[in-house]
PDB file of all heavy atoms in Angstrom:
ATOM      1  N   GLY A  41       4.383  20.396 -16.107  1.00 98.00           N
ATOM      2  CA  GLY A  41       4.896  21.134 -14.955  1.00 98.00           C
ATOM      3  C   GLY A  41       4.050  21.047 -13.708  1.00 98.00           C
ATOM      4  O   GLY A  41       4.377  21.667 -12.690  1.00 98.00           O
ATOM      5  N   SER A  42       3.002  20.240 -13.716  1.00 98.00           N
ATOM      6  CA  SER A  42       2.091  20.201 -12.557  1.00 98.00           C
ATOM      7  C   SER A  42       2.567  19.287 -11.432  1.00 98.00           C
ATOM      8  O   SER A  42       1.931  19.240 -10.387  1.00 98.00           O
ATOM      9  CB  SER A  42       0.680  19.784 -12.995  1.00 98.00           C
ATOM     10  OG  SER A  42       0.701  18.552 -13.662  1.00 98.00           O
ATOM     11  N   GLY A  43       3.656  18.538 -11.624  1.00 98.00           N
ATOM     12  CA  GLY A  43       4.207  17.742 -10.530  1.00 98.00           C
ATOM     13  C   GLY A  43       4.065  16.237 -10.682  1.00 98.00           C
ATOM     14  O   GLY A  43       4.372  15.487  -9.760  1.00 98.00           O
ATOM     15  N   LYS A  44       3.644  15.774 -11.844  1.00 98.00           N
ATOM     16  CA  LYS A  44       3.392  14.334 -12.038  1.00 98.00           C
ATOM     17  C   LYS A  44       4.660  13.503 -11.896  1.00 98.00           C
ATOM     18  O   LYS A  44       4.679  12.477 -11.194  1.00 98.00           O
ATOM     19  CB  LYS A  44       2.768  14.091 -13.416  1.00 98.00           C
ATOM     20  CG  LYS A  44       1.513  14.931 -13.666  1.00 98.00           C
ATOM     21  CD  LYS A  44       0.917  14.705 -15.040  1.00 98.00           C
ATOM     22  CE  LYS A  44       1.838  15.084 -16.194  1.00 98.00           C
ATOM     23  NZ  LYS A  44       2.141  16.531 -16.228  1.00 98.00           N
ATOM     24  N   SER A  45       5.725  13.911 -12.585  1.00 98.00           N
ATOM     25  CA  SER A  45       6.977  13.139 -12.505  1.00 98.00           C
ATOM     26  C   SER A  45       7.552  13.213 -11.104  1.00 98.00           C
ATOM     27  O   SER A  45       8.097  12.222 -10.594  1.00 98.00           O
ATOM     28  CB  SER A  45       8.009  13.662 -13.512  1.00 98.00           C
ATOM     29  OG  SER A  45       7.568  13.447 -14.840  1.00 98.00           O
ATOM     30  N   THR A  46       7.430  14.360 -10.466  1.00 98.00           N
ATOM     31  CA  THR A  46       7.927  14.496  -9.094  1.00 98.00           C
ATOM     32  C   THR A  46       7.166  13.558  -8.170  1.00 98.00           C
ATOM     33  O   THR A  46       7.766  12.864  -7.337  1.00 98.00           O
ATOM     34  CB  THR A  46       7.798  15.953  -8.610  1.00 98.00           C
ATOM     35  OG1 THR A  46       8.461  16.825  -9.538  1.00 98.00           O
ATOM     36  CG2 THR A  46       8.409  16.129  -7.235  1.00 98.00           C
ATOM     37  N   LEU A  47       5.854  13.485  -8.344  1.00 98.00           N
ATOM     38  CA  LEU A  47       5.043  12.552  -7.549  1.00 98.00           C
ATOM     39  C   LEU A  47       5.532  11.126  -7.748  1.00 98.00           C
ATOM     40  O   LEU A  47       5.754  10.377  -6.795  1.00 98.00           O
ATOM     41  CB  LEU A  47       3.580  12.663  -7.970  1.00 98.00           C
ATOM     42  CG  LEU A  47       2.619  11.675  -7.293  1.00 98.00           C
ATOM     43  CD1 LEU A  47       2.418  12.019  -5.825  1.00 98.00           C
ATOM     44  CD2 LEU A  47       1.268  11.647  -8.008  1.00 98.00           C
ATOM     45  N   LEU A  48       5.731  10.743  -9.006  1.00 98.00           N
ATOM     46  CA  LEU A  48       6.149   9.371  -9.301  1.00 98.00           C
ATOM     47  C   LEU A  48       7.532   9.077  -8.711  1.00 98.00           C
ATOM     48  O   LEU A  48       7.781   7.971  -8.220  1.00 98.00           O
ATOM     49  CB  LEU A  48       6.168   9.160 -10.822  1.00 98.00           C
ATOM     50  CG  LEU A  48       5.438   7.918 -11.320  1.00 98.00           C
ATOM     51  CD1 LEU A  48       3.971   7.912 -10.925  1.00 98.00           C
ATOM     52  CD2 LEU A  48       5.582   7.782 -12.826  1.00 98.00           C
ATOM     53  N   HIS A  49       8.423  10.044  -8.749  1.00 98.00           N
ATOM     54  CA  HIS A  49       9.764   9.844  -8.190  1.00 98.00           C
ATOM     55  C   HIS A  49       9.710   9.672  -6.681  1.00 98.00           C
ATOM     56  O   HIS A  49      10.457   8.867  -6.112  1.00 98.00           O
ATOM     57  CB  HIS A  49      10.696  10.998  -8.568  1.00 98.00           C
ATOM     58  CG  HIS A  49      11.290  10.855  -9.925  1.00 98.00           C
ATOM     59  ND1 HIS A  49      10.539  10.918 -11.072  1.00 98.00           N
ATOM     60  CD2 HIS A  49      12.565  10.614 -10.321  1.00 98.00           C
ATOM     61  CE1 HIS A  49      11.315  10.726 -12.124  1.00 98.00           C
ATOM     62  NE2 HIS A  49      12.555  10.547 -11.700  1.00 98.00           N
ATOM     63  N   VAL A  50       8.831  10.407  -6.016  1.00 98.00           N
ATOM     64  CA  VAL A  50       8.695  10.242  -4.563  1.00 98.00           C
ATOM     65  C   VAL A  50       8.117   8.861  -4.261  1.00 98.00           C
ATOM     66  O   VAL A  50       8.653   8.131  -3.421  1.00 98.00           O
ATOM     67  CB  VAL A  50       7.812  11.356  -3.968  1.00 98.00           C
ATOM     68  CG1 VAL A  50       7.426  11.033  -2.523  1.00 98.00           C
ATOM     69  CG2 VAL A  50       8.553  12.697  -4.021  1.00 98.00           C
ATOM     70  N   VAL A  51       7.068   8.479  -4.972  1.00 98.00           N
ATOM     71  CA  VAL A  51       6.464   7.150  -4.759  1.00 98.00           C
ATOM     72  C   VAL A  51       7.482   6.050  -5.048  1.00 98.00           C
ATOM     73  O   VAL A  51       7.536   5.026  -4.363  1.00 98.00           O
ATOM     74  CB  VAL A  51       5.203   6.981  -5.638  1.00 98.00           C
ATOM     75  CG1 VAL A  51       4.698   5.541  -5.596  1.00 98.00           C
ATOM     76  CG2 VAL A  51       4.096   7.926  -5.178  1.00 98.00           C
ATOM     77  N   GLY A  52       8.322   6.280  -6.057  1.00 98.00           N
ATOM     78  CA  GLY A  52       9.303   5.273  -6.466  1.00 98.00           C
ATOM     79  C   GLY A  52      10.592   5.306  -5.669  1.00 98.00           C
ATOM     80  O   GLY A  52      11.558   4.615  -6.017  1.00 98.00           O
ATOM     81  N   LEU A  53      10.624   6.094  -4.580  1.00 98.00           N
ATOM     82  CA  LEU A  53      11.793   6.176  -3.692  1.00 98.00           C
ATOM     83  C   LEU A  53      13.030   6.715  -4.407  1.00 98.00           C
ATOM     84  O   LEU A  53      14.160   6.458  -3.996  1.00 98.00           O
ATOM     85  CB  LEU A  53      12.109   4.805  -3.062  1.00 98.00           C
ATOM     86  CG  LEU A  53      11.002   4.271  -2.163  1.00 98.00           C
ATOM     87  CD1 LEU A  53      11.306   2.838  -1.741  1.00 98.00           C
ATOM     88  CD2 LEU A  53      10.812   5.140  -0.937  1.00 98.00           C
ATOM     89  N   LEU A  54      12.803   7.450  -5.484  1.00 97.00           N
ATOM     90  CA  LEU A  54      13.910   8.091  -6.200  1.00 97.00           C
ATOM     91  C   LEU A  54      14.113   9.511  -5.694  1.00 97.00           C
ATOM     92  O   LEU A  54      15.081  10.172  -6.071  1.00 97.00           O
ATOM     93  CB  LEU A  54      13.598   8.110  -7.698  1.00 97.00           C
ATOM     94  CG  LEU A  54      13.581   6.709  -8.330  1.00 97.00           C
ATOM     95  CD1 LEU A  54      12.817   6.726  -9.635  1.00 97.00           C
ATOM     96  CD2 LEU A  54      14.995   6.217  -8.560  1.00 97.00           C
ATOM     97  N   ASP A  55      13.195   9.965  -4.864  1.00 97.00           N
ATOM     98  CA  ASP A  55      13.259  11.312  -4.320  1.00 97.00           C
ATOM     99  C   ASP A  55      12.571  11.280  -2.959  1.00 97.00           C
ATOM    100  O   ASP A  55      11.763  10.394  -2.683  1.00 97.00           O
ATOM    101  CB  ASP A  55      12.552  12.294  -5.271  1.00 97.00           C
ATOM    102  CG  ASP A  55      12.893  13.740  -4.992  1.00 97.00           C
ATOM    103  OD1 ASP A  55      13.774  14.002  -4.150  1.00 97.00           O
ATOM    104  OD2 ASP A  55      12.281  14.633  -5.620  1.00 97.00           O
ATOM    105  N   ARG A  56      12.902  12.241  -2.110  1.00 97.00           N
ATOM    106  CA  ARG A  56      12.299  12.272  -0.780  1.00 97.00           C
ATOM    107  C   ARG A  56      11.410  13.499  -0.621  1.00 97.00           C
ATOM    108  O   ARG A  56      11.738  14.563  -1.156  1.00 97.00           O
ATOM    109  CB  ARG A  56      13.383  12.428   0.290  1.00 97.00           C
ATOM    110  CG  ARG A  56      14.264  11.257   0.508  1.00 97.00           C
ATOM    111  CD  ARG A  56      15.392  11.674   1.465  1.00 97.00           C
ATOM    112  NE  ARG A  56      16.302  10.579   1.728  1.00 97.00           N
ATOM    113  CZ  ARG A  56      16.119   9.679   2.701  1.00 97.00           C
ATOM    114  NH1 ARG A  56      15.063   9.759   3.499  1.00 97.00           N
ATOM    115  NH2 ARG A  56      16.990   8.708   2.887  1.00 97.00           N
ATOM    116  N   PRO A  57      10.359  13.394   0.160  1.00 98.00           N
ATOM    117  CA  PRO A  57       9.567  14.600   0.426  1.00 98.00           C
ATOM    118  C   PRO A  57      10.391  15.626   1.202  1.00 98.00           C
ATOM    119  O   PRO A  57      11.277  15.252   1.974  1.00 98.00           O
ATOM    120  CB  PRO A  57       8.405  14.088   1.295  1.00 98.00           C
ATOM    121  CG  PRO A  57       8.389  12.610   1.143  1.00 98.00           C
ATOM    122  CD  PRO A  57       9.783  12.197   0.811  1.00 98.00           C
ATOM    123  N   SER A  58      10.096  16.902   1.000  1.00 98.00           N
ATOM    124  CA  SER A  58      10.685  17.946   1.844  1.00 98.00           C
ATOM    125  C   SER A  58       9.931  18.004   3.170  1.00 98.00           C
ATOM    126  O   SER A  58      10.492  18.346   4.204  1.00 98.00           O
ATOM    127  CB  SER A  58      10.579  19.316   1.162  1.00 98.00           C
ATOM    128  OG  SER A  58      10.960  19.251  -0.177  1.00 98.00           O
ATOM    129  N   ARG A  59       8.631  17.687   3.097  1.00 98.00           N
ATOM    130  CA  ARG A  59       7.786  17.608   4.315  1.00 98.00           C
ATOM    131  C   ARG A  59       6.760  16.512   4.091  1.00 98.00           C
ATOM    132  O   ARG A  59       6.441  16.161   2.956  1.00 98.00           O
ATOM    133  CB  ARG A  59       7.044  18.933   4.546  1.00 98.00           C
ATOM    134  CG  ARG A  59       7.960  20.123   4.788  1.00 98.00           C
ATOM    135  CD  ARG A  59       7.166  21.384   5.064  1.00 98.00           C
ATOM    136  NE  ARG A  59       6.574  21.329   6.406  1.00 98.00           N
ATOM    137  CZ  ARG A  59       6.004  22.376   6.995  1.00 98.00           C
ATOM    138  NH1 ARG A  59       5.933  23.542   6.369  1.00 98.00           N
ATOM    139  NH2 ARG A  59       5.488  22.270   8.203  1.00 98.00           N
ATOM    140  N   GLY A  60       6.204  16.021   5.200  1.00 98.00           N
ATOM    141  CA  GLY A  60       5.169  15.007   5.105  1.00 98.00           C
ATOM    142  C   GLY A  60       5.753  13.606   5.178  1.00 98.00           C
ATOM    143  O   GLY A  60       6.948  13.419   5.368  1.00 98.00           O
ATOM    144  N   ARG A  61       4.873  12.612   5.025  1.00 97.00           N
ATOM    145  CA  ARG A  61       5.272  11.220   5.213  1.00 97.00           C
ATOM    146  C   ARG A  61       4.940  10.390   3.983  1.00 97.00           C
ATOM    147  O   ARG A  61       3.910  10.603   3.352  1.00 97.00           O
ATOM    148  CB  ARG A  61       4.470  10.599   6.374  1.00 97.00           C
ATOM    149  CG  ARG A  61       4.711  11.230   7.695  1.00 97.00           C
ATOM    150  CD  ARG A  61       5.499  10.297   8.620  1.00 97.00           C
ATOM    151  NE  ARG A  61       6.150  11.082   9.653  1.00 97.00           N
ATOM    152  CZ  ARG A  61       7.428  11.463   9.579  1.00 97.00           C
ATOM    153  NH1 ARG A  61       8.176  11.142   8.535  1.00 97.00           N
ATOM    154  NH2 ARG A  61       7.975  12.173  10.546  1.00 97.00           N
ATOM    155  N   TYR A  62       5.775   9.408   3.725  1.00 98.00           N
ATOM    156  CA  TYR A  62       5.457   8.413   2.702  1.00 98.00           C
ATOM    157  C   TYR A  62       5.619   7.043   3.317  1.00 98.00           C
ATOM    158  O   TYR A  62       6.730   6.592   3.586  1.00 98.00           O
ATOM    159  CB  TYR A  62       6.358   8.576   1.473  1.00 98.00           C
ATOM    160  CG  TYR A  62       6.231   7.457   0.452  1.00 98.00           C
ATOM    161  CD1 TYR A  62       5.064   6.715   0.306  1.00 98.00           C
ATOM    162  CD2 TYR A  62       7.302   7.142  -0.369  1.00 98.00           C
ATOM    163  CE1 TYR A  62       4.962   5.695  -0.628  1.00 98.00           C
ATOM    164  CE2 TYR A  62       7.212   6.129  -1.309  1.00 98.00           C
ATOM    165  CZ  TYR A  62       6.040   5.406  -1.423  1.00 98.00           C
ATOM    166  OH  TYR A  62       5.937   4.403  -2.363  1.00 98.00           O
ATOM    167  N   ARG A  63       4.458   6.392   3.541  1.00 98.00           N
ATOM    168  CA  ARG A  63       4.481   5.042   4.099  1.00 98.00           C
ATOM    169  C   ARG A  63       4.281   4.036   2.964  1.00 98.00           C
ATOM    170  O   ARG A  63       3.311   4.118   2.208  1.00 98.00           O
ATOM    171  CB  ARG A  63       3.357   4.875   5.132  1.00 98.00           C
ATOM    172  CG  ARG A  63       3.844   4.669   6.562  1.00 98.00           C
ATOM    173  CD  ARG A  63       2.654   4.478   7.514  1.00 98.00           C
ATOM    174  NE  ARG A  63       1.760   5.606   7.472  1.00 98.00           N
ATOM    175  CZ  ARG A  63       1.912   6.722   8.186  1.00 98.00           C
ATOM    176  NH1 ARG A  63       2.942   6.846   9.007  1.00 98.00           N
ATOM    177  NH2 ARG A  63       1.037   7.712   8.064  1.00 98.00           N
ATOM    178  N   LEU A  64       5.198   3.123   2.842  1.00 98.00           N
ATOM    179  CA  LEU A  64       5.104   2.083   1.816  1.00 98.00           C
ATOM    180  C   LEU A  64       4.973   0.738   2.526  1.00 98.00           C
ATOM    181  O   LEU A  64       5.864   0.348   3.295  1.00 98.00           O
ATOM    182  CB  LEU A  64       6.353   2.092   0.920  1.00 98.00           C
ATOM    183  CG  LEU A  64       6.422   1.006  -0.160  1.00 98.00           C
ATOM    184  CD1 LEU A  64       5.228   1.101  -1.107  1.00 98.00           C
ATOM    185  CD2 LEU A  64       7.729   1.138  -0.946  1.00 98.00           C
ATOM    186  N   ASP A  65       3.852   0.052   2.297  1.00 95.00           N
ATOM    187  CA  ASP A  65       3.566  -1.215   2.990  1.00 95.00           C
ATOM    188  C   ASP A  65       3.732  -1.052   4.500  1.00 95.00           C
ATOM    189  O   ASP A  65       4.319  -1.916   5.165  1.00 95.00           O
ATOM    190  CB  ASP A  65       4.480  -2.338   2.471  1.00 95.00           C
ATOM    191  CG  ASP A  65       4.306  -2.550   0.977  1.00 95.00           C
ATOM    192  OD1 ASP A  65       3.211  -2.226   0.455  1.00 95.00           O
ATOM    193  OD2 ASP A  65       5.261  -3.016   0.333  1.00 95.00           O
ATOM    194  N   GLY A  66       3.271   0.075   4.997  1.00 95.00           N
ATOM    195  CA  GLY A  66       3.300   0.311   6.435  1.00 95.00           C
ATOM    196  C   GLY A  66       4.612   0.861   6.971  1.00 95.00           C
ATOM    197  O   GLY A  66       4.679   1.293   8.122  1.00 95.00           O
ATOM    198  N   VAL A  67       5.649   0.856   6.143  1.00 96.00           N
ATOM    199  CA  VAL A  67       6.956   1.343   6.608  1.00 96.00           C
ATOM    200  C   VAL A  67       7.102   2.823   6.277  1.00 96.00           C
ATOM    201  O   VAL A  67       6.880   3.226   5.125  1.00 96.00           O
ATOM    202  CB  VAL A  67       8.103   0.566   5.916  1.00 96.00           C
ATOM    203  CG1 VAL A  67       9.451   1.141   6.329  1.00 96.00           C
ATOM    204  CG2 VAL A  67       8.009  -0.916   6.225  1.00 96.00           C
ATOM    205  N   ASP A  68       7.488   3.614   7.270  1.00 97.00           N
ATOM    206  CA  ASP A  68       7.718   5.038   7.015  1.00 97.00           C
ATOM    207  C   ASP A  68       9.042   5.186   6.278  1.00 97.00           C
ATOM    208  O   ASP A  68      10.125   5.081   6.868  1.00 97.00           O
ATOM    209  CB  ASP A  68       7.764   5.803   8.340  1.00 97.00           C
ATOM    210  CG  ASP A  68       7.939   7.300   8.142  1.00 97.00           C
ATOM    211  OD1 ASP A  68       8.297   7.734   7.011  1.00 97.00           O
ATOM    212  OD2 ASP A  68       7.722   8.052   9.106  1.00 97.00           O
ATOM    213  N   THR A  69       8.967   5.449   4.983  1.00 97.00           N
ATOM    214  CA  THR A  69      10.180   5.453   4.164  1.00 97.00           C
ATOM    215  C   THR A  69      11.124   6.596   4.509  1.00 97.00           C
ATOM    216  O   THR A  69      12.314   6.532   4.209  1.00 97.00           O
ATOM    217  CB  THR A  69       9.828   5.555   2.664  1.00 97.00           C
ATOM    218  OG1 THR A  69       9.176   6.806   2.435  1.00 97.00           O
ATOM    219  CG2 THR A  69       8.936   4.416   2.228  1.00 97.00           C
ATOM    220  N   THR A  70      10.582   7.635   5.137  1.00 91.00           N
ATOM    221  CA  THR A  70      11.437   8.776   5.465  1.00 91.00           C
ATOM    222  C   THR A  70      12.415   8.430   6.593  1.00 91.00           C
ATOM    223  O   THR A  70      13.404   9.129   6.787  1.00 91.00           O
ATOM    224  CB  THR A  70      10.600  10.021   5.825  1.00 91.00           C
ATOM    225  OG1 THR A  70       9.474   9.614   6.604  1.00 91.00           O
ATOM    226  CG2 THR A  70      10.053  10.674   4.559  1.00 91.00           C
ATOM    227  N   THR A  71      12.171   7.326   7.283  1.00 93.00           N
ATOM    228  CA  THR A  71      13.096   6.916   8.349  1.00 93.00           C
ATOM    229  C   THR A  71      14.187   5.978   7.839  1.00 93.00           C
ATOM    230  O   THR A  71      15.089   5.607   8.573  1.00 93.00           O
ATOM    231  CB  THR A  71      12.339   6.176   9.479  1.00 93.00           C
ATOM    232  OG1 THR A  71      11.791   4.967   8.926  1.00 93.00           O
ATOM    233  CG2 THR A  71      11.212   7.021  10.029  1.00 93.00           C
TER     234      THR A  71
END
Side-chain angles (χ1 to χ4, degrees):
Chain A
S42 56
K44 306 179 298 296
S45 295
T46 305
L47 176 71
L48 230 59
H49 278 67
V50 168
V51 171
L53 297 172
L54 293 160
D55 196 7
R56 290 172 180 273
S58 314
R59 298 182 73 169
R61 297 251 158 262
Y62 171 27
R63 246 181 302 275
L64 177 59
D65 301 334
V67 176
D68 183 346
T69 63
T70 39
T71 64

